[in-house]
Amino acid sequence: LPEEVKNHALRDSVALRPFVFLQHGVSKDFVGWLWKFTQNLTGLVAAAIPEAQAFLDEPYGYSAREIWLTGFPRFDRLYHNEQKVITFMPTWRQWLFTTPNQETGVWTPRSGFTESNYFKFYNELLSNERLISAAQELGYTLTFFPHPMVRLNGLVNEFNLETIQVLESKTPYREIYAKSDLVVTDYSSAIFDFAYLRKPVLYAQFDKDEMFSGKHTLKKGYFDYERDGFGEVTYTLEDMVDCLIEYMKNNCQLKEKYRERIDNSFAFNDRNNCERVYQKVCELIQQ
């Protein structure tokens, strides 16, 4: 509840209003703030089968009636427009920042960002001569879409991006997913939208132990990258470069084992997600 109504006389009436949460992404990690006794959601929209099951198995407090496995409405607007583009979309690292600005919500970076393993890995990857040479030879464009916490603090300027196209912050995600043949991330849930289009993902997890040590906002959930991921998991710069070149040489074709994982993960593979959510809301209103 908003702070201004928590102690208001109408608090209970407000709290009992039906509240349907569409989610901003697939909850592959444990999301403590979604606890029923904090949010009291009437409907929690899920897109992935194991995601929906996790909301029931883990201590969220919800029943099957409140978990809506309908798919995300925004999936209906995803489309294909591949242009031989490979996009790098890493997430951020909380331990490299201090606290969020109370007015803007933007976290302040700590000193020494350019000395971090995070910066060094991506700076070397985005300027790797072997990768850039192969991309040019095979006709691929390499693009970089920094996480907002990196972009809004001006940290993008620290990277060596002479041969990489940096996408503007206002670039729609659906446009990035449409044009890209392959996306490189590390731990971001944003790539579930991309995988819904049945296109390959690569994971750079050079700092896996540190990421799940409690220093970041993530708390590991049901999703295991080696077992459930939609593409190869790499742990070194050289392995990532090798993997990228292999995919480019094969026109970034999605491998069958990863297609099966995607098919088994998503509840639906259509453009009727909005309709399913609409029908669930209608059922809720009629109760």
Side-chain angles (χ1 to χ4, degrees):
L1 291 177
E3 290 295 330
E4 60 268 22
V5 300
K6 282 187 176 179
N7 296 312
H8 193 276
L10 297 178
R11 178 190 61 192
D12 291 342
S13 296
V14 174
L16 292 174
R17 288 185 307 172
F19 178 19
V20 176
F21 183 39
L22 296 178
Q23 292 205 80
H24 70 285
V26 172
S27 296
K28 63 179 176 56
D29 304 298
F30 184 75
V31 189
W33 60 268
L34 280 179
W35 194 42
K36 177 177 175 59
F37 301 102
T38 301
Q39 303 298 339
N40 194 31
L41 301 177
T42 312
L44 203 172
V45 174
I49 296 170
E51 172 197 27
Q53 190 60 46
F55 280 128
L56 298 175
D57 294 342
E58 296 178 6
Y60 286 100
Y62 292 105
S63 67
R65 181 182 62 184
E66 294 148 337
I67 305 303
W68 296 2
L69 184 54
T70 58
F72 290 163
R74 70 169 185 264
F75 285 177
D76 290 352
R77 300 188 69 235
L78 295 172
Y79 64 102
H80 289 273
N81 185 24
E82 289 75 22
Q83 298 183 15
K84 298 199 75 171
V85 171
I86 292 177
T87 301
F88 297 85
M89 296 180 60
T91 190
W92 66 309
R93 303 295 189 273
Q94 184 180 348
W95 65 84
L96 300 179
F97 297 78
T98 56
T99 55
N101 182 291
Q102 295 301 310
E103 294 183 1
T104 66
V106 178
W107 290 63
T108 303
R110 299 180 185 276
S111 60
F113 175 80
T114 57
E115 300 303 315
S116 67
N117 289 334
Y118 173 80
F119 172 81
K120 290 179 179 178
F121 178 86
Y122 283 109
N123 191 49
E124 292 176 14
L125 177 61
L126 296 172
S127 60
N128 184 272
E129 292 184 4
R130 190 159 63 92
L131 174 62
I132 293 169
S133 176
Q136 292 173 343
E137 179 183 343
L138 296 167
Y140 280 88
T141 299
L142 305 179
T143 66
F144 181 37
F145 193 65
H147 189 276
M149 292 302 174
V150 174
R151 188 191 298 272
L152 293 173
N153 282 291
L155 298 174
V156 177
N157 299 327
E158 301 292 343
F159 291 89
N160 180 6
L161 302 172
E162 293 180 2
T163 56
I164 300 290
Q165 178 184 344
V166 181
L167 301 177
E168 295 184 8
S169 59
K170 63 182 180 181
T171 307
Y173 278 83
R174 62 190 290 264
E175 179 182 314
I176 297 172
Y177 299 146
K179 292 181 178 180
S180 300
D181 292 71
L182 181 150
V183 165
V184 175
T185 187
D186 37 30
Y187 312 94
S188 176
S189 64
I191 54 83
F192 274 81
D193 296 54
F194 184 73
Y196 195 78
L197 292 169
R198 274 56 181 179
K199 295 197 277 189
V201 175
L202 295 182
Y203 302 91
Q205 297 195 349
F206 55 93
D207 58 351
K208 180 179 179 180
D209 292 340
E210 196 170 20
M211 193 67 170
F212 293 107
S213 68
K215 296 168 63 175
H216 190 62
T217 56
L218 293 181
K219 181 178 180 182
K220 192 169 178 58
Y222 72 87
F223 192 86
D224 182 276
Y225 294 89
E226 293 279 6
R227 183 192 65 211
D228 306 317
F230 306 136
E232 286 84 346
V233 182
T234 66
Y235 300 99
T236 67
L237 178 69
E238 290 304 311
D239 283 348
M240 173 56 76
V241 172
D242 289 342
C243 212
L244 279 167
I245 293 175
E246 176 197 341
Y247 268 94
M248 286 190 288
K249 287 181 176 179
N250 289 284
N251 298 313
C252 289
Q253 292 297 307
L254 179 64
K255 297 178 182 179
E256 187 58 32
K257 65 180 289 188
Y258 299 121
R259 179 179 293 277
E260 290 179 2
R261 290 185 187 182
I262 294 172
D263 290 342
N264 292 333
S265 179
F266 289 108
F268 304 97
N269 180 22
D270 57 26
R271 296 295 183 269
N272 300 318
N273 299 286
C274 286
E275 176 65 22
R276 283 186 288 270
V277 173
Y278 170 76
Q279 292 299 334
K280 293 291 290 186
V281 171
C282 288
E283 293 174 11
L284 179 63
I285 293 174
Q286 293 168 4
Q287 290 178 2

